[in-house]
Amino acid sequence: MTSPDATVTYRELPTSRPADDLELELLTRWKMEGLFARTIAANRGKPSFVFFEGPPTANARPGIHHVFARTIKDLFCRYRAMKGFNVSRRAGWDTHGLPVEIEVEKMLGISGKQQIEEIGVEKFNALCRESVWKYKADWEAMSERIGYWLDYDDAYITYTNNYVESVWWALSRLFEQKLLYRGYKVLPYCPRCGTALSSHEVAQGYKDVKDPSVYIALDVVPLGNAATTENQPSGRRRILVWTTTPWTLVSNVALAVNPDLEYIELKKRESDSSDSILLAEARAGAVLGEDYRDRWETVATFRGADLVGRSYRRPLDWVELTGGKSEVIVGENFVSSEDGTGVVHMAPAFGADDYAAGQRNGLAFVQPVDSRGEFPEDIPLVGGMFVKAADKKIIEELERRGSLWKASVIEHSYPHCWRCDTPLLYYARGSWFIKTTAFRDAMLTRNSRVDWHSPEMGTGRFGEWLENNIDWAISRDRYWGTPLPLWICDTNDAHVDAIGSYAQLSEKIGAPLGDDFDPHKPFIDRHTWKCSQCDGTMQRVPQVIDTWFD
């Protein structure tokens, strides 16, 4: 900033000039006078109103939406300065994260983690560091042109050593308070970017798409106590199941029904066959046609609870099921009569409800899909294929086996990666979480005290977001970002060290870090030490953190 003591002379602005010329001359005068610095000096020693710019990523040009946002920010800062506050407006640069990585991938003509690793993480991250400044001048020029005052001389930069260290300190404090923990949950995952997405990232990427709508009929064992009518058929019984993700049928381990729903068993009228089908009574018209009673007769009715514990034959037997119960019908209240058949196919590795139900019911867990969203090569028919591309072959196989009841296409809203437009997979992966749910009630209480304008923003959009808050999956399986400062013993993974400063890291490794120390990958991963609790070696977890935490 210009010295507040500088002597400046200027002439009066004419009033008959075009508006744009007047604006530019006014901005020139402000710059010559060092007006921003003078406002800071005038209020020095007075109460502070602290403002840190929500930092942009300078490897992309600013847009008109940035003009709108910065105008609003500037309005608050100018108002507070006029009220006598000392308002130091510190600029910032967001320099980590997938947006930076993707721009470098485009520059190199590569795509995906495999090609990044072929180039080398060290070289790739060096290019990321350079890339973030590509449009720095454009951002500063835009800010100056709209009269948005920011202190760029003392800007904070998220990739600098001191900034990374401050993030480490915050994360280590969370770990000490048991608010940073390791979990295994189903997360929205981008197979192209190779990382999970947070809930607010998912909300940015919904698109209307066409997906398969598949009904399959699966054999069940005799119902036993489920029906007692004399005309209950003794032939083949099958239960109808609906899915829009045929590829997950490879991982099917169970079916779920709602214990409180009414289910019916139907047999075709005027047929010599005693074969029958089962589904929720409320869904029969939607699945079989509203005139289904003309073609089907009801031979039994029962509650979903009567089906719980029964066995069935899974649609595809391509993977071995171990480590829990399988081919069993379970009772779950999330099963609805609003769509499908009232019977939900369960693949615990690919769905939050499925995973939770799997834990509750002790179901087997199978995950025959790799981090690229592809089936292993040894899976029949679809080995090596991307899961979405495998749908067609799986449907054909179901038809060949006689399990396909009917298939069509539906259009619905489905989440895509907001960065690369790849369809997201709901994928059970190990991750590190910040326990934000521990503060949900406190945040809701504080939100209720905020004077929101308009009020419905507080009770609606923001309030509902707080109500539905889930723990923050903070780790990312990427390269250019703040490394997660956790080291785990290679002998006992219950032994974890959270590093909160470079001095602490230096003490752990027993050597100074040196002036050229770089806390980023791959350099940080070379630092190891002996476990303090056993004979193992402490090695850093491979992840970086969600750049939103930066």
Side-chain angles (χ1 to χ4, degrees):
M1 291 186 289
T2 305
S3 167
D5 300 321
T7 301
V8 179
T9 58
Y10 57 89
R11 58 185 173 81
E12 292 297 322
L13 292 174
T15 58
S16 59
R17 302 264 300 282
D20 194 55
D21 287 349
L22 291 173
E23 290 170 6
L24 290 173
E25 191 158 347
L26 180 63
L27 292 171
T28 301
R29 173 187 289 182
W30 286 0
K31 188 174 183 179
M32 290 174 58
E33 291 176 347
L35 192 56
F36 178 23
R38 287 176 179 272
T39 64
I40 301 297
N43 288 344
R44 187 170 292 133
K46 295 182 179 179
S48 292
F49 180 79
V50 179
F51 178 79
F52 283 81
E53 162 73 339
T57 304
N59 71 331
R61 288 190 173 93
I64 190 65
H65 58 293
H66 294 111
V67 175
F68 296 151
R70 290 188 161 201
T71 299
I72 294 170
K73 294 174 184 177
D74 197 52
L75 175 67
F76 279 88
C77 289
R78 288 181 184 275
Y79 172 75
R80 288 293 179 179
M82 292 169 67
K83 296 289 285 186
F85 285 86
N86 179 27
V87 185
S88 54
R89 302 161 217 189
R90 192 170 179 187
W93 298 106
D94 181 11
T95 55
H96 282 148
L98 260 177
V100 180
E101 291 193 28
I102 289 173
E103 286 300 311
V104 172
E105 286 186 47
K106 291 177 181 177
M107 179 186 72
L108 295 173
I110 64 173
S111 178
K113 296 173 71 174
Q114 183 175 349
Q115 289 184 294
I116 290 174
E117 292 178 1
E118 289 172 358
I119 289 173
V121 176
E122 182 175 347
K123 178 180 178 181
F124 182 78
N125 276 0
L127 292 172
C128 287
R129 185 186 291 264
E130 296 172 9
S131 166
V132 296
W133 300 118
K134 186 174 182 179
Y135 298 110
K136 179 175 180 289
D138 297 60
W139 281 92
E140 292 180 351
M142 182 268 284
S143 296
E144 183 175 343
R145 178 64 186 85
I146 66 174
Y148 178 45
W149 283 348
L150 276 180
D151 183 1
Y152 281 108
D153 294 336
D154 190 28
Y156 68 92
I157 302 166
T158 59
Y159 74 50
T160 57
N161 282 19
N162 61 339
Y163 196 92
V164 169
E165 186 176 29
S166 72
V167 175
W168 279 16
W169 173 84
L171 290 168
S172 68
R173 292 287 294 144
L174 290 170
F175 183 82
E176 290 167 8
Q177 297 170 47
K178 302 188 185 306
L179 296 172
L180 176 61
Y181 69 94
R182 180 172 37 190
Y184 194 66
K185 293 184 180 180
V186 173
L187 301 167
Y189 174 81
C190 176
R192 183 262 175 229
C193 297
T195 193
L197 279 74
S198 60
S199 57
H200 54 279
E201 289 177 304
V202 174
Q204 298 181 63
Y206 276 87
K207 297 171 64 175
D208 289 335
V209 297
K210 293 181 178 179
D211 272 328
S213 173
V214 176
Y215 292 83
I216 56 175
L218 304 178
D219 290 313
V220 295
V221 300
L223 296 175
N225 65 346
T228 58
T229 56
E230 291 182 2
N231 60 343
Q232 178 184 349
S234 58
R236 184 184 187 190
R237 292 185 178 86
R238 295 193 294 173
I239 189 166
L240 293 186
V241 184
W242 176 65
T243 184
T244 58
T245 54
W247 63 270
T248 62
L249 293 171
V250 177
S251 306
N252 171 265
V253 299
L255 302 178
V257 297
N258 189 317
D260 297 322
L261 280 182
E262 294 294 319
Y263 289 79
I264 55 176
E265 186 169 4
L266 301 171
K267 172 185 174 295
K268 276 191 175 180
R269 294 184 183 275
E270 300 177 358
S271 172
D272 294 333
S273 172
S274 58
D275 292 352
S276 63
I277 57 171
L278 299 97
L279 74 165
E281 184 175 24
R283 297 302 303 161
V287 176
L288 304 174
E290 294 303 331
D291 61 346
Y292 76 93
R293 291 182 181 86
D294 296 337
R295 293 170 286 107
W296 298 86
E297 64 175 308
T298 301
V299 296
T301 62
F302 40 87
R303 293 173 62 248
D306 297 321
L307 285 169
V308 174
R310 302 296 133 190
S311 298
Y312 73 98
R313 188 170 296 116
R314 59 181 167 145
L316 300 167
D317 53 2
W318 293 340
V319 296
E320 183 180 357
L321 303 181
T322 59
K325 293 186 290 187
S326 60
E327 295 184 303
V328 63
I329 299 174
V330 299
E332 289 292 338
N333 291 327
F334 66 77
V335 179
S336 168
S337 61
E338 298 299 316
D339 52 25
T341 66
V343 183
V344 175
H345 122 74
M346 307 291 290
F350 302 106
D353 286 337
D354 298 45
Y355 181 79
Q359 295 295 298
R360 284 191 292 269
N361 294 283
L363 301 179
F365 182 88
V366 290
Q367 193 185 57
V369 177
D370 65 19
S371 61
R372 296 188 297 274
E374 297 174 354
F375 287 108
E377 293 289 346
D378 60 355
I379 296 286
L381 290 181
V382 296
M385 295 183 69
F386 181 65
V387 291
K388 288 283 189 179
D391 280 342
K392 182 179 179 181
K393 282 188 174 292
I394 289 172
I395 294 171
E396 291 172 351
E397 176 64 12
L398 293 171
E399 184 172 24
R400 187 189 70 79
R401 294 185 179 210
S403 301
L404 184 66
W405 185 262
K406 66 177 180 177
S408 61
V409 173
I410 63 167
E411 184 170 334
H412 64 154
S413 182
Y414 190 84
H416 289 62
C417 180
W418 65 278
R419 304 176 185 91
C420 67
D421 278 340
T422 300
L424 300 182
L425 307 181
Y426 281 82
Y427 195 175
R429 294 178 63 82
S431 188
W432 288 85
F433 296 84
I434 294 178
K435 197 172 185 179
T436 54
T437 53
F439 296 92
R440 177 164 45 207
D441 292 344
M443 289 190 287
L444 285 166
T445 299
R446 294 185 182 203
N447 183 55
S448 68
R449 298 172 184 160
V450 175
D451 183 18
W452 280 95
H453 296 267
S454 60
E456 59 268 20
M457 286 298 294
T459 58
R461 182 175 178 181
F462 194 73
E464 289 174 2
W465 179 74
L466 289 176
E467 285 277 5
N468 296 308
N469 169 47
I470 58 175
D471 288 349
W472 183 358
I474 195 175
S475 55
R476 297 290 183 268
D477 295 308
R478 296 299 302 188
Y479 308 99
W480 178 240
T482 296
L484 191 59
L486 300 173
W487 273 255
I488 294 180
C489 177
D490 61 3
T491 299
N492 186 335
D493 64 6
H495 301 162
V496 183
D497 287 342
I499 301 301
S501 69
Y502 298 149
Q504 185 182 2
L505 177 61
S506 177
E507 181 182 344
K508 288 289 186 182
I509 64 175
L513 297 177
D515 295 337
D516 59 348
F517 171 70
D518 187 341
H520 293 90
K521 292 169 68 75
F523 311 107
I524 192 64
D525 296 324
R526 298 167 186 168
H527 295 292
T528 63
W529 56 88
K530 186 181 180 301
C531 178
S532 61
Q533 302 179 61
C534 69
D535 293 331
T537 299
M538 304 300 291
Q539 297 180 331
R540 198 189 72 82
V541 299
Q543 295 96 342
V544 297
I545 68 167
D546 182 356
T547 192
W548 288 98
F549 192 88
D550 277 356

